């Protein structure tokens, strides 16, 4: 995306909540072209991009996956880890070499349950990300299929 994301971690979480979350981060790297997760797989981790670009995709029957959004530094990759049944609803791929912070989903959910203020902040952040991603998915699918529906 060419405009800064309104849901980057620094724009949404307080310094205290960012520090609490980041104290549980593990640094990871993904080479260009790496599949980070696939729709339908178990959502056991999530990431915040440090550098590079990841693309979220919607798998399409009999077609290549449809890119929905490109994510860059400070952006959350993955929301399915927060909602049962904890299964990925999209797929993600590293479009460039990516450095990211990785978080264990179970650990973060336990922290959220133990501290309601922290849990609320993380829940609202993920909710804002989810709302934005759903809107972007809708827009992308309309761009792809509306011209065909009108012409047909």
């Amino acid at each position: 995306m060419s405009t800064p994301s309104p849901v980057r971690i620094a724009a949404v979480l307080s310094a205290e909540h960012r520090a609490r979350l980041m104290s549980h981060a593990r640094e990871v790297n993904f080479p260009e072209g790496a599949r980070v997760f696939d729709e339908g797989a178990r959502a056991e981790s999530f990431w915040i991009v440090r550098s590079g670009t990841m693309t979220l995709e919607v798998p399409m029957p009999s077609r290549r996956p449809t890119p929905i959004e490109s994510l860059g530094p400070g952006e959350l990759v993955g929301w399915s880890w927060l909602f049962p049944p904890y299964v990925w609803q999209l797929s993600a791929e590293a479009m460039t070499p990516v450095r990211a912070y990785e978080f264990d989903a179970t650990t973060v959910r336990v922290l959220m349950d133990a501290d309601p203020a922290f849990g609320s902040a993380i829940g609202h952040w993920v909710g804002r990300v989810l709302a934005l991603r759903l809107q972007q998915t809708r827009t992308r699918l309309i761009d792809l299929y509306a011209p065909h529906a009108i012409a047909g």
Side-chain angles (χ1 to χ4, degrees), residues 112-123:
M112 291 172 68
D113 289 344
D115 180 346
F118 177 75
S120 177
I122 297 295

Side-chain angles (χ1 to χ4, degrees), residues 85-149:
Y86 310 119
V87 173
W88 293 118
Q89 301 300 308
L90 299 171
S91 298
E93 180 177 340
M95 298 311 294
T96 66
V98 172
R99 293 179 11 201
Y101 294 111
E102 182 176 69
F103 301 86
D104 177 74
T106 301
T107 299
V108 174
R109 288 192 304 264
V110 167
L111 291 169
M112 291 172 68
D113 289 344
D115 180 346
F118 177 75
S120 177
I122 297 295
H124 282 96
W125 173 45
V126 174
R128 287 177 67 178
V129 169
L130 177 54
L132 180 63
R133 302 266 161 80
L134 287 173
Q135 181 60 37
Q136 289 166 328
T137 301
R138 178 181 178 273
T139 300
R140 181 71 174 124
L141 293 175
I142 288 171
D143 288 347
L144 288 171
Y145 295 107
H148 302 294

Side-chain angles (χ1 to χ4, degrees), residues 49-91:
V49 177
R50 295 176 56 213
S51 66
T53 304
M54 284 196 202
T55 297
L56 295 178
E57 306 168 332
V58 174
M60 303 297 284
S62 304
R63 297 180 70 166
R64 292 185 50 86
T66 299
I68 298 300
E69 182 179 9
S70 293
L71 304 176
E75 292 188 284
L76 175 67
V77 180
W79 51 263
S80 300
W81 62 273
L82 187 54
F83 305 102
Y86 310 119
V87 173
W88 293 118
Q89 301 300 308
L90 299 171
S91 298

Side-chain angles (χ1 to χ4, degrees), residues 5-25:
S5 171
V7 293
R8 283 195 170 108
I9 186 171
V12 178
L13 294 181
S14 70
E16 176 186 344
H17 290 143
R18 278 194 317 270
R20 180 130 191 238
L21 179 64
M22 296 308 294
S23 72
H24 296 277

